[in-house]
Amino acid sequence: MTVVIAAINGKGGAGKTTALMNIAGEYALRGGHVAMIDMDARNNLMKWWTDCQEKDAQPEGIEVYSHKTARGLERWMMDNANAFDHVLIDTPGEDTSIVDPVIAAADLVISPIQPSKREVLGAIDSFENVLRVNEALGKACRHGVLRTRITVTVRHTELYRKIRPIIEDTVKTYLFRTEVFERNVYKDIHNGIGTLQMQEVTDAIAKARRETQALVAEVDQLLANEAATGRAA
Ligand SMILES: Nc1ncnc2c1ncn2[C@@H]1O[C@H](COP(=O)(O)OP(=O)(O)O)[C@@H](O)[C@H]1O
Ligand SMILES: [Mg+2]
């Protein structure tokens, strides 16, 4: 069965593309056949892909496609999704009409946030959209909020401390235990040097790899857990 994961936060630029690149790299490393779909007009994912090609650093097991419309996505999914173990959909950082069709195609929506009020609100909106599409289509797409660009300093802020109670207790969606820390390597991989998993293992890379493995383990767990669907009582 093909697993479809989308990164959505209509009010943020805190790491959708980066998270998907890292997750894709992990699945590919395990021998999975991964498709990534760039639905963002800024084409960051596609640019990364072509840069990787130019630098002869294209990751094995990953293919990147560009579709900017719901129609394009639907057609691609119908004709091609079966050929892949994982399809990862990257979306724009603003609310657009493609959000509902992406959720309709997805098994899991990840909403990355850096600790800013705007991005937390964007993640809550994304969860509401998942609930609405689930209800309308009778499906069970999961949702999780991923804290990104975390630093020691950020962890001392009031907003950071409020994230867990807001997301888990008030909004009642899933908060990933794994946090994506602010790391230079996550910036570097945007420069067409392939995936995180292709980099020579230094201490810094090893930390990022462990973080990503923990994230993917949580993603797999969430996908396996039917009960994680919808708003808990
Ligand atoms: N965990 C991180 N550590 C350091 N830099 C990051 C991290 N996540 C993202 N970035 C940087 O922030 C920029 C925006 O991240 P990106 O994944 O493109 O966000 P989005 O796709 O949500 O717009 C990237 O170019 C990258 O350099
Ligand atoms: Mg992006």
Side-chain angles (χ1 to χ4, degrees):
M1 269 295 280
T2 308
V3 169
V4 183
I5 302 171
I8 304 178
N9 185 335
K11 295 186 187 62
K16 293 180 295 298
T17 304
T18 307
L20 291 184
M21 280 168 20
N22 291 337
I23 293 169
E26 200 60 33
Y27 284 135
L29 190 70
R30 295 186 193 168
H33 196 190
V34 184
M36 305 186 78
I37 305 188
D38 188 347
M39 298 200 73
D40 185 349
R42 292 175 305 170
N43 279 314
N44 288 345
L45 192 58
M46 212 26 149
K47 278 182 203 141
W48 168 71
W49 186 243
T50 50
D51 287 352
C52 288
Q53 206 162 27
E54 272 164 30
K55 292 186 179 169
D56 211 14
Q58 227 167 26
E60 232 174 276
I62 300 178
E63 285 171 44
V64 181
Y65 302 86
S66 175
H67 288 289
K68 307 306 179 201
T69 63
R71 199 70 197 281
L73 174 69
E74 273 158 18
R75 283 202 186 135
W76 186 92
M77 292 293 297
M78 238 176 334
D79 296 342
N80 304 286
N82 279 339
F84 294 92
D85 302 300
H86 288 89
V87 175
L88 308 185
I89 307 175
D90 197 17
T91 68
E94 66 269 356
D95 294 307
T96 67
S97 59
I98 61 148
V99 166
D100 283 13
V102 169
I103 296 170
D107 299 298
L108 167 66
V109 168
I110 299 175
S111 296
I113 54 164
Q114 50 188 338
S116 92
K117 198 171 164 188
R118 181 183 148 81
E119 298 200 7
V120 173
L121 291 174
I124 296 170
D125 279 352
S126 300
F127 176 55
E128 298 292 345
N129 288 334
V130 169
L131 289 179
R132 185 173 44 74
V133 172
N134 276 349
E135 177 85 34
L137 301 183
K139 66 182 295 228
C141 178
R142 273 72 120 191
H143 179 258
V145 176
L146 175 65
R147 290 166 289 186
T148 67
R149 307 201 69 163
I150 298 303
T151 61
V152 174
T153 320
V154 154
R155 281 182 146 181
H156 287 102
T157 61
E158 197 194 348
L159 179 63
Y160 173 85
R161 283 195 298 270
K162 279 187 181 161
I163 289 174
R164 198 205 54 75
I166 289 172
I167 296 301
E168 287 187 338
D169 304 339
T170 309
V171 179
K172 294 185 168 43
T173 186
Y174 183 78
L175 179 68
F176 284 96
R177 292 290 168 277
T178 309
E179 301 171 69
V180 180
F181 273 70
E182 176 79 22
R183 297 182 194 280
N184 286 334
V185 57
Y186 294 139
K187 289 194 194 29
D188 292 343
I189 52 165
H190 281 260
N191 299 324
I193 56 169
T195 60
L196 166 68
Q197 290 78 6
M198 289 162 65
Q199 310 311 309
E200 197 182 324
V201 182
T202 59
D203 282 355
I205 301 286
K207 281 181 191 158
R209 288 281 303 274
R210 279 198 294 275
E211 194 167 84
T212 301
Q213 282 160 1
L215 173 61
V216 171
E218 267 193 88
V219 165
D220 288 343
Q221 204 175 30
L222 195 54
L223 282 163
N225 180 11
E226 299 285 340
T229 304
R231 182 163 265 164

